[in-house]
Amino acid sequence: MNPAVSDQRHQRSSAVPGPGAFRPVALDRFSDAVAEFLAAPGRTPVPVPVDGRADLVSGVTAANGLYDGLRTPAPLDLGVVLGAEELPPGVAELAGPFARRWVDEKELDDAAGFHDRHSGTLLVVGRYDRLNLSPVRALLLATYRGAGHALTLLSGRDGASVAWNVAKQYAFAGQDVDALGLFTDTDRPPHLPGVRVFDDRDFERTDIQGEILGTRWRRVVFQGHGKDDSVNLGEFTICGLNPAVPAVPGLLGPRCAYGLPCYKPEDKLVPLHRVEAVEVVLSACNSGPLADLALYDPKYQLLLNALDGPARTVVSAVSVHDSDRPENVAWMRAALTGADSVDTLNASLAGSHPYPAFMRFGMPDGEREGEGEEAPPAPRPADHRPDPLLITVGQRLTALLASELLPHNHALRPRLTKLARKVDLWAARPTHLADQSPDEILASLTADLQSLDHAVTEQVAENPENEIMNYPAYFGDRSSLDPRVHEVTCHCGRPAQEFTRRGLLPYVLDTTCAVCMRCGDVTFRVPGAPALLAHADDEVEQGGVLEVRAELTASRPGPVRLGLFVPTYLRDDTVVEPRTVKVRGTADHPRDVTFRVRFAAGTAPQAYYFTVFAVQDLAVSTARRHFGVVPRST
């Protein structure tokens, strides 16, 4: 049986008069009660069949204190009922307004191709035992990273539970139900204004059970380790046991199913069906597995326990996932703005998982409740890759600190070590896009780099024999030759060969060198370092001035520090102007930087050389140029 197509518009009414938004009815009266409700939706309470289900009676009672109005939710594009003949008469009709068009269950025999034939958002209604890998897995994968609210489920442990979950979709909570909560045992996230956050420190000094059960939540997240029957919150435990339903003979259960005590203190268990929340998010691995993936009897399932309670929306994890700081922060921001939890969590994890981690049980909100404003659009899938500069700097820090290029007492080691710790933290996913935005991380990184580049430049200018300048030999000795050789032009105008040595060990950087048969090895740099050439006259008189033009091409737009030095034996006879300089370089066009080397009148005539060096992002590039001092003309 398929529900009739409904064109009923998304409507909202004032609070239902009488006992509340829902009324229990006998199962044999349910179909007629549904027809009466649909004839004038919003004017009478939604009927709920509760025969023999004391837990549903409690759920209805709690929901009548949580919700104070009714509205028909915005319909999705398509709807499918799984096993309609197994549901109480009236359930399919009650769900009818939730989709613009309903298709036959047989359409899902080829679930992988379903979305090739049908576009748009999809609602699947059916008992939990119908939610198997086939067809749900293919539907999930087909809609992942697609349109917002792509797949929505309405389910329950039996026909009465399905009817209850369909009925809850008509309700909305008043503005007085506004508490947002995050309970996490694996993170210590920042406390955003408007969200009540509890972490492991609070679990030791706060009655978490009382906090959870004593609050009416608009949205609440339980995040921690667990299985499909529990979520750990320190000594407290979100428990899936529903004592009102029988166990299924032969199915596996947790310890309590065999008469053993719970693995956690029983006075600190939180029965999930008693949590008064409009939306419950179960951010634990396997908190809502498909029916043929579940470890435990449905009597103990977290998902089913939550669906039996007052929550209109339940968000659960179909399998394993790496939710942590980014997801906690993203969820808090979404909760404050009214964005969808499933879309937000799956988008945040899209940079880590090729599969959807979370499923939504409950109709997505087409509007923010009570405000009539359009809900925020679905977030774009997150890309957790940090800025490439962070990776490059991390590799250079590893080379400088893990190798023996710099001695243990080198003046730069403490500062390099401090930056390496920060880079490791920034590259870790729990921090990226959470405590700091990518822009904040990049700004902090570049500030640290500018300071360190300045320190490197000053140390080299003061002592060109600084160990950091030995990197071409150190890394080159631990490398192999790349057979690809490029013909280039030396700054003396003669042909030269540029080649790369590839590091053989993880902490050895590649080095690129240009060799001229007249000038020797004239330039050195590591990948991504600034490119340098040095131009000057071939000769200068005693007491004269040699003007040097350094041709700089930066690795990226930004500050580059340069310096020039001469051999130690020539330093007493020369003055370099400027000693060091900071310029803004670009990667697109070379920039000229001018130095002047003034020679004493008594400088011995002979051949010499100078070296120009550039420092950017902890990479040092050098260009060496030969010249001669000749006797002063009379």
Side-chain angles (χ1 to χ4, degrees):
M1 175 176 77
N2 281 337
V5 175
S6 174
D7 293 325
Q8 187 170 9
R9 295 177 62 83
H10 178 58
Q11 297 177 352
R12 191 185 302 278
S13 76
S14 59
V16 174
F22 308 99
R23 65 184 176 100
V25 299
L27 184 59
D28 60 4
R29 277 277 304 137
F30 179 62
S31 181
D32 291 339
V34 167
E36 294 170 7
F37 171 77
L38 292 177
R43 296 185 181 180
T44 60
V46 191
V48 182
V50 295
D51 291 15
R53 291 290 301 276
D55 57 324
L56 293 191
V57 173
S58 298
V60 169
T61 301
N64 279 333
L66 184 65
Y67 305 101
D68 63 2
L70 295 177
R71 57 94 172 92
T72 302
L76 300 182
D77 296 317
L78 295 170
V80 178
V81 177
L82 303 179
E85 68 281 357
E86 301 167 356
L87 298 175
V91 172
E93 289 75 15
L94 189 61
F98 298 171
R100 295 185 178 90
R101 182 164 67 93
W102 291 85
V103 297
D104 192 272
E105 179 181 2
K106 293 180 180 179
E107 288 272 355
L108 296 183
D109 290 344
D110 177 22
F114 181 84
H115 281 279
D116 294 333
R117 301 186 301 274
H118 302 286
S119 61
T121 53
L122 174 65
L123 170 65
V124 175
V125 182
R127 285 189 337 198
Y128 176 67
D129 59 2
R130 287 278 187 160
L131 302 184
N132 294 322
L133 276 170
S134 178
V136 178
R137 179 179 182 273
L139 295 174
L140 278 172
L141 293 177
T143 58
Y144 184 47
R145 301 174 187 259
H149 317 310
L151 180 62
T152 294
L153 301 162
L154 292 176
S155 187
R157 68 178 71 247
D158 56 19
S161 291
V162 175
W164 172 220
N165 280 277
V166 171
K168 285 185 286 188
Q169 306 313 307
Y170 284 95
F172 72 89
Q175 296 302 304
D176 59 326
V177 181
D178 58 0
L180 305 174
L182 171 63
F183 295 81
T184 173
D185 193 29
T186 65
D187 185 25
R188 292 179 176 179
H191 288 222
L192 271 61
V195 182
R196 297 167 63 181
V197 178
F198 300 85
D199 58 38
D200 63 304
R201 295 164 294 187
D202 302 297
F203 300 159
E204 298 177 359
R205 57 178 180 254
T206 304
D207 178 10
I208 297 299
Q209 183 189 68
E211 288 284 350
I212 295 173
L213 298 180
T215 304
R216 294 192 306 165
W217 304 96
R218 181 166 290 270
R219 293 185 177 188
V220 63
V221 171
F222 302 119
Q223 191 216 5
H225 297 297
K227 292 192 289 290
D228 50 1
D229 71 316
S230 60
V231 177
N232 293 314
L233 300 176
E235 290 297 297
F236 297 88
T237 306
I238 304 299
C239 177
L241 170 65
N242 187 333
V245 299
V248 179
L251 293 186
L252 183 66
R255 293 166 53 96
C256 60
Y258 307 100
L260 298 173
C262 183
Y263 72 104
K264 300 291 278 294
E266 296 192 15
D267 62 338
K268 294 185 176 180
L269 297 179
V270 179
L272 189 51
H273 64 280
R274 288 179 52 199
V275 176
E276 296 186 22
V278 177
E279 176 180 282
V280 171
V281 178
L282 302 171
S283 184
C285 293
N286 306 301
S287 59
L290 299 175
D292 48 353
L293 301 179
L295 288 173
Y296 288 144
D297 187 310
K299 179 182 179 70
Y300 308 95
Q301 285 284 323
L302 278 168
L303 168 63
L304 299 181
N305 202 358
L307 293 176
D308 286 337
R312 189 185 68 205
T313 303
V314 177
V315 176
S316 61
V318 66
S319 184
V320 295
H321 56 93
D322 292 330
S323 287
D324 210 305
R325 180 72 54 80
E327 288 64 54
N328 287 338
V329 173
W331 179 85
M332 287 190 284
R333 291 172 178 161
L336 290 167
T337 61
D340 184 84
S341 293
V342 167
D343 294 340
T344 297
L345 294 171
N346 279 338
S348 182
L349 286 166
S352 302
H353 300 320
Y355 54 85
F358 290 93
M359 297 190 299
R360 176 195 307 102
F361 290 82
M363 293 291 289
D365 283 333
E367 294 178 352
R368 297 190 199 182
E369 297 181 13
E371 297 181 9
E373 296 180 14
E374 287 297 319
R380 295 174 60 84
D383 182 353
H384 292 298
R385 291 174 298 181
D387 190 282
L389 178 62
L390 186 72
I391 305 303
T392 298
V393 170
Q395 293 169 342
R396 291 171 184 170
L397 286 166
T398 299
L400 292 172
L401 292 171
S403 70
E404 294 184 1
L405 173 63
L406 303 183
H408 72 280
N409 60 346
H410 193 280
L412 287 175
R413 270 195 175 272
R415 296 187 60 185
L416 293 172
T417 300
K418 182 178 179 180
L419 180 57
R421 293 194 188 103
K422 294 171 72 173
V423 167
D424 179 72
L425 186 64
W426 286 329
R429 204 185 67 86
T431 298
H432 187 53
L433 291 178
D435 289 346
Q436 293 177 285
S437 71
D439 289 341
E440 290 171 330
I441 290 173
L442 186 60
S444 182
L445 174 63
T446 53
D448 287 333
L449 288 173
Q450 289 187 38
S451 178
L452 271 166
D453 286 351
H454 173 75
V456 170
T457 305
E458 292 300 313
Q459 288 188 21
V460 172
E462 180 67 27
N463 176 21
E465 295 182 1
N466 189 295
E467 291 86 355
I468 202 169
M469 296 298 287
N470 192 43
Y471 76 86
Y474 182 89
F475 293 145
D477 289 346
R478 293 157 178 81
S479 303
S480 62
L481 179 64
D482 188 319
R484 290 169 293 185
V485 178
H486 302 285
E487 291 293 327
V488 296
T489 300
C490 177
H491 42 221
C492 73
R494 296 174 175 82
Q497 290 182 308
E498 185 178 75
F499 58 92
T500 298
R501 296 187 179 102
R502 303 293 181 187
L504 297 174
L505 298 172
Y507 55 82
V508 174
L509 298 178
D510 296 345
T511 50
T512 298
C513 173
V515 171
C516 168
M517 288 189 175
R518 174 187 180 277
C519 303
D521 46 3
V522 291
T523 64
F524 283 106
R525 58 190 172 90
V526 297
L532 270 181
L533 286 176
H535 304 282
D537 291 338
D538 289 334
E539 296 177 350
V540 61
E541 289 185 352
Q542 293 172 307
V545 176
L546 181 69
E547 187 165 294
V548 177
R549 179 173 60 88
E551 183 181 322
L552 167 73
T553 304
S555 57
R556 65 177 181 89
V560 183
R561 286 169 169 80
L562 296 94
L564 184 150
F565 60 83
V566 296
T568 303
Y569 55 82
L570 188 57
R571 300 190 77 181
D572 290 342
D573 290 331
T574 56
V575 174
V576 176
E577 299 173 346
R579 181 170 170 269
T580 62
V581 63
K582 181 176 80 171
V583 301
R584 183 167 185 83
T586 66
D588 299 327
H589 303 286
R591 171 170 182 168
D592 289 346
V593 181
T594 300
F595 292 89
R596 292 177 175 82
V597 185
R598 299 184 181 277
F599 292 86
T603 304
Q606 66 170 59
Y608 297 98
Y609 69 90
F610 64 81
T611 302
V612 178
F613 67 96
V615 183
Q616 186 180 33
D617 304 331
L618 297 180
V620 180
S621 302
T622 61
R624 188 174 63 181
R625 177 76 157 88
H626 289 281
F627 68 95
V629 174
V630 296
R632 186 170 185 175
S633 59
T634 56

